[in-house]
Amino acid sequence: MVKDVISNMNVHMGKSIESLRKEYQKVRTGRASTSLLDDIKVDSYGTLSPLNQVATLAIPEARTITIQPWDSKMIAPIEKAIMNSNLGLNPANDGKLIRLTLPPLTEERRKDIVKQLKRDAEDAKVALRNIRRDAIDQLKKLEKDKSISEDELKRAEKEVQDSTNNHVAKVDEVLLHKEKEVMEV
């Protein structure tokens, strides 16, 4: 039973870290990345479809993303979706291909992005602490129900804390990596 609680806790903590990584992928750095466009939905013949399902995305240069729609009639809806996405990107098309050029980030903008990254990391740490609290509550309930002894509870609480510390360190590692990527000129 203790192993189930701890294993369940580790799964939830892993998902929290994965969620933070996905959130960080959407953050614009100085380099082009197709993951910037992951949340963009395009009106494709009356249905909202993810951009990568109506066009081919590519990165020919470090600061350029190209979007080649599978149907040339989709150029206008794709441009409209990008303009409405609040990414601060201006699409340019030649009739067959849409180009997005990422402007270089200013030092001030980089610092603002790092502040936001730190807020997101802190939110992830709060989520990890909440998961830890829930796991410890479950363990205490097991001890109260006489399913485990007090010694087993103490050992399990230490294991929960060690696991939490490891996951918090992973959050710090992810933050450090992304912060370095953003501050890179």
Side-chain angles (χ1 to χ4, degrees):
M1 287 183 271
V2 172
K3 294 237 183 281
D4 292 341
V5 170
I6 291 173
S7 132
N8 191 16
M9 178 198 72
N10 284 329
V11 166
H12 281 81
M13 286 184 171
K15 286 180 182 175
S16 290
I17 291 174
E18 202 48 47
S19 172
L20 179 68
R21 280 193 177 113
K22 282 185 179 155
E23 201 57 40
Y24 279 1
Q25 283 179 342
K26 297 174 194 166
V27 173
R28 198 177 96 188
T29 60
R31 233 183 251 125
S33 168
T34 58
S35 59
L36 283 174
L37 308 174
D38 282 352
D39 288 342
I40 295 181
K41 303 273 190 258
V42 179
D43 183 8
S44 169
Y45 303 106
T47 354
L48 283 180
S49 305
L51 179 58
N52 61 3
Q53 290 183 7
V54 295
T56 303
L57 307 175
I59 302 173
E61 300 164 19
R63 294 186 192 271
T64 307
I65 300 174
T66 59
I67 304 165
Q68 186 164 18
W70 297 328
D71 180 359
S72 59
K73 293 182 185 112
M74 291 302 297
I75 287 183
I78 289 173
E79 283 185 322
K80 185 178 175 190
I82 292 169
M83 296 295 269
N84 293 337
S85 69
N86 295 328
L87 284 174
L89 300 174
N90 291 321
N93 83 67
D94 62 8
K96 294 180 182 172
L97 193 72
I98 300 171
R99 290 187 191 287
L100 299 175
T101 304
L102 284 92
L105 297 173
T106 63
E107 189 66 26
E108 183 181 332
R109 180 69 183 125
R110 288 177 197 275
K111 288 179 181 172
D112 288 345
I113 290 171
V114 168
K115 283 181 191 171
Q116 182 59 47
L117 294 175
K118 288 181 179 178
R119 278 194 293 270
D120 291 345
E122 191 52 44
D123 291 345
K125 289 178 185 178
V126 168
L128 293 177
R129 288 192 288 270
N130 289 337
I131 294 167
R132 177 193 60 194
R133 185 197 62 228
D134 293 344
I136 288 177
D137 288 348
Q138 289 174 4
L139 291 169
K140 285 182 179 175
K141 186 177 183 315
L142 286 174
E143 194 247 350
K144 185 180 174 195
D145 295 343
K146 305 284 187 221
S147 299
I148 62 172
S149 70
E150 196 174 323
D151 289 342
E152 286 175 309
L153 173 66
K154 292 295 177 204
R155 272 193 296 276
E157 283 179 340
K158 184 183 180 330
E159 196 175 332
V160 164
Q161 186 58 48
D162 290 345
S163 181
T164 303
N165 293 344
N166 289 338
H167 284 87
V168 167
K170 284 181 189 171
V171 167
D172 289 335
E173 192 179 300
V174 170
L175 170 65
L176 192 67
H177 177 74
K178 190 63 176 185
E179 190 176 340
K180 194 185 294 182
E181 190 179 314
V182 168
M183 292 309 286
E184 192 178 289
V185 180

